Amino acid sequence: MNILTDPKIYLEKDSLLHADMLDALRDEKTKILFSEEKGVLMEAGTGFYLISAADEETYRRYAAAIPKEKGVEVCIHQLKWAPVLLEGREKVKVLPCWEFSAEEGRKLPENEVSGITFRTVTEKDLPFVEENYSEPAEYTRRCFKNGMIGAFEGEKCVGFIGLHPNGEIGLLKVLPAYRNRRIGAGLETRLINRRLEEGRIPFNFVVVGNDVSIRLQQALGLRQAEHMTAWLLDDNG
């Protein structure tokens, strides 16, 4: 570890771009690997690395500290330096994203939906989540342990939302027959407010081009970073 300054000094220069990193500072499992005037590198849970730096030389130093084996995921906060992280890595794809975050201390109004109740997803609801989410069941169960919120018509689950292992709000899914009823908005506002109550910074990443999700974040009043980020992920295609 090379911690020369408080990481907040660098990260708060652009708090919207670094909302995920500022939130990670509040998680005891986060490891700060570098914190300097020109950048911060952290491991936010096993295999999740968050990197931000002001120049290419700093990026190269930080990149050397990130494992290159399969399964390691890296969030780059300066898209132009993605090629530096790609050096020496095979079968990796770059996924450009916009980062959105909620304002601390400002809970969102929770819209009601006729005939729908919102509550915590329990173990008996998990088979529905596994069936309707695109990731492997092992990953879905890992997210389930972080707490999920579901939308229910009676006892029937028709949608859900949860947290990725890095604390990002995601996994949002609403069955096709129940869309366009603001169920997705109801799920997201409730999880955002839960995170605020827990003293965290609610944030998510939206893949560039996913205009439906971008419009949802904007409609909820979330703040969008000025510059794109990117995730380096295993390319299984």
Side-chain angles (χ1 to χ4, degrees):
M1 294 186 294
N2 191 350
I3 303 175
L4 303 180
T5 64
D6 181 344
K8 289 183 179 180
I9 295 174
Y10 172 83
L11 298 176
E12 289 181 346
K13 291 177 182 178
D14 190 340
S15 59
L16 298 187
L17 182 66
H18 300 124
D20 59 316
M21 299 182 77
L22 288 165
D23 178 67
L25 292 177
R26 305 180 181 187
D27 195 321
E28 60 182 14
K29 70 175 182 290
T30 297
K31 299 177 182 177
I32 309 298
L33 304 179
F34 285 88
S35 180
E36 306 170 306
E37 182 181 348
K38 291 186 175 182
V40 174
L41 172 65
M42 58 177 65
E43 184 179 9
T46 304
F48 289 92
Y49 290 84
L50 311 178
I51 180 173
S52 180
D55 55 47
E56 183 177 354
E57 187 278 330
T58 306
Y59 252 93
R60 290 192 177 278
R61 285 194 293 112
Y62 291 1
I66 301 175
K68 292 182 170 61
E69 64 257 26
K70 183 178 176 64
V72 170
E73 298 185 358
V74 185
C75 184
I76 308 167
H77 289 74
Q78 289 77 24
L79 183 58
K80 64 181 179 180
W81 302 125
V84 174
L85 273 296
L86 289 172
E87 293 176 6
R89 300 177 190 273
E90 298 181 355
K91 296 184 178 180
V92 173
K93 64 181 176 182
V94 178
L95 197 64
C97 300
W98 292 109
E99 182 165 3
F100 290 85
S101 58
E103 183 179 348
E104 288 189 82
R106 180 176 170 269
K107 295 181 71 172
L108 303 182
E110 298 179 354
N111 63 294
E112 301 296 333
V113 180
S114 178
I116 299 295
T117 58
F118 298 93
R119 63 167 172 79
T120 299
V121 171
T122 65
E123 188 78 33
K124 73 180 181 66
D125 307 312
L126 192 51
F128 171 83
V129 176
E130 293 176 340
E131 180 182 348
N132 287 277
Y133 190 60
S134 58
E135 294 292 335
E138 180 182 357
Y139 183 86
T140 304
R141 285 184 172 271
R142 185 178 175 190
C143 297
F144 168 75
K145 291 179 180 178
N146 293 329
M148 303 181 75
I149 295 176
F152 294 82
E153 184 180 59
E155 291 300 310
K156 177 184 178 182
C157 188
V158 300
F160 53 85
I161 194 170
L163 298 174
H164 291 287
N166 66 327
E168 174 194 354
I169 291 175
L171 298 91
L172 179 59
K173 177 77 175 185
V174 177
L175 292 181
Y178 292 84
R179 292 173 187 169
N180 300 314
R181 294 175 58 184
R182 301 197 72 235
I183 292 175
L187 287 165
E188 186 166 346
T189 53
R190 284 162 173 80
L191 187 51
I192 286 171
N193 289 342
R194 177 187 289 182
R195 294 295 278 171
L196 289 170
E197 291 170 358
E198 294 168 346
R200 304 299 294 267
I201 302 173
F203 70 92
N204 61 31
F205 295 95
V206 178
V207 176
V208 173
N210 186 350
D211 294 335
V212 172
S213 184
I214 288 174
R215 287 195 294 269
L216 173 59
Q217 311 315 311
Q218 293 171 339
L220 295 179
L222 300 192
R223 304 171 301 169
Q224 182 176 352
E226 182 178 355
H227 302 289
M228 283 187 288
T229 57
W231 279 92
L232 264 59
L233 307 171
D234 287 338
D235 188 354
N236 298 315

